Amino acid sequence: MGWEALQQWGADVARIEPLAGGVANDVWSVRVDGRLAVGRLGARSDADLAWETDLLRHLDREGLTVPVPIPTTDGRLFVDGMVMMTYVAGEPPQTEADWRRVADTLRRLHRATQRWPQRPGWRSSTDLLRAETGTKIDLGAMPPEGVARCRAAWARLRGRQTCVVHGDPNPRNIRMTADRVALIDWDESHVDVAELDLVLPHNAAGLEDGEYDVAAQASAAWEAAVCWDDEYSVRRLAEVRTV
């Protein structure tokens, strides 16, 4: 249906302008009943969108600031790959103190989702010690030596508590004001080990040296695998040490 699905949110709905980001989606600012919102159109399955929208509503109830799905006039949270969400204002983190607030927010996310089910079709980093594929990841497409290095990095995470990770807490996906930190763009979120979210500028999460190394190596391995084989993924794989 494409953007014609906008009509499912009522008569007073209109696209305004395209927004930056959203590699896997077409993302626009939208006016819904006179209010600014964000519309996102992509090819994700209904099961995937149900997982994401349920998560965002749960986090909103838990007091985190996230884009909240806006239902259609008949109560649906997505239609033909389209989701409408509240617009979240703010600025990206800039200082070490800002990043410490981001780390605190990520830990709130992790505490609130320790029993959350896995995103449909996804695998965690430790699942990939045995599995070959999971959504964007196909270890069979990577050099065997690179797969061995990635798995060695992920093996150091065995036995740790899992939860929902945001998956991409870079400055573009963070909106801060004086009194709150918001996380946007949940395309990469899934259930995994919390440390993958905590490799932050200034080591803002306060990880000990050994723990930071474990997290940084596992994170580099994950980004290499999930993006393979563009220039960024090759660079990230080069950061994963041979063990």
Side-chain angles (χ1 to χ4, degrees):
M1 183 179 290
W3 284 100
E4 293 82 3
L6 273 178
Q7 64 188 346
Q8 302 297 322
W9 277 266
D12 186 15
V13 182
R15 280 194 288 173
I16 301 173
E17 61 182 355
L19 298 176
V23 173
N25 303 286
D26 190 14
V27 184
W28 284 65
S29 59
V30 178
R31 187 186 68 251
V32 180
D33 294 330
R35 295 176 299 169
L36 187 62
V38 175
R40 191 188 75 193
L41 178 63
R44 292 196 184 272
S45 69
D46 284 357
D48 185 277
L49 294 175
W51 185 93
E52 182 186 7
T53 53
D54 284 349
L55 172 67
L56 292 174
R57 291 198 300 167
H58 169 71
L59 296 177
D60 178 57
R61 290 191 297 267
E62 290 290 315
L64 280 84
T65 304
V66 297
V68 180
I70 301 170
T72 63
T73 55
D74 61 1
R76 289 175 291 171
L77 297 179
F78 49 88
V79 178
D80 295 329
M82 182 176 295
V83 181
M84 201 70 58
M85 294 172 285
T86 56
Y87 177 80
V88 181
E91 298 296 327
Q94 298 183 14
T95 67
E96 183 173 347
D98 288 344
W99 280 106
R100 286 198 296 269
R101 291 175 61 201
V102 173
D104 290 344
T105 300
L106 288 166
R107 286 194 162 111
R108 288 180 62 200
L109 160 67
H110 301 155
R111 288 193 298 270
T113 57
Q114 289 186 358
R115 294 177 180 83
W116 207 258
Q118 183 59 279
R119 193 169 194 153
W122 285 68
R123 305 277 190 178
S124 70
S125 53
T126 51
D127 289 336
L128 290 167
L129 296 175
R130 299 170 302 279
E132 291 287 324
T133 61
T135 311
K136 298 181 178 180
I137 292 178
D138 179 4
L139 296 182
M142 297 180 69
E145 183 272 339
V147 173
R149 280 190 282 146
C150 289
R151 283 178 161 161
W154 296 329
R156 299 166 76 188
L157 300 176
R158 274 198 189 106
R160 299 183 185 222
Q161 175 70 55
T162 60
C163 57
V164 172
V165 295
H166 178 275
D168 192 14
N170 73 72
R172 296 184 304 278
N173 293 334
I174 302 165
R175 297 287 182 268
M176 303 185 67
T177 66
D179 57 359
R180 59 104 174 117
V181 176
L183 300 172
I184 65 171
D185 191 350
W186 291 78
D187 278 0
E188 302 298 323
S189 58
H190 63 284
V191 171
D192 216 314
V193 175
E195 283 80 358
L196 291 178
D197 264 349
L198 299 178
V199 184
L200 301 173
H202 313 288
N203 188 19
L207 301 180
E208 298 291 338
D209 288 348
E211 284 298 293
Y212 186 88
D213 182 70
V214 168
Q217 286 287 291
S219 177
W222 178 267
E223 292 188 359
V226 83
C227 298
W228 193 261
D229 60 339
D230 62 15
E231 182 178 337
Y232 177 75
S233 66
V234 171
R235 189 165 68 248
R236 290 296 272 159
L237 182 60
E239 298 173 20
V240 182
R241 296 191 301 273
T242 302
V243 177

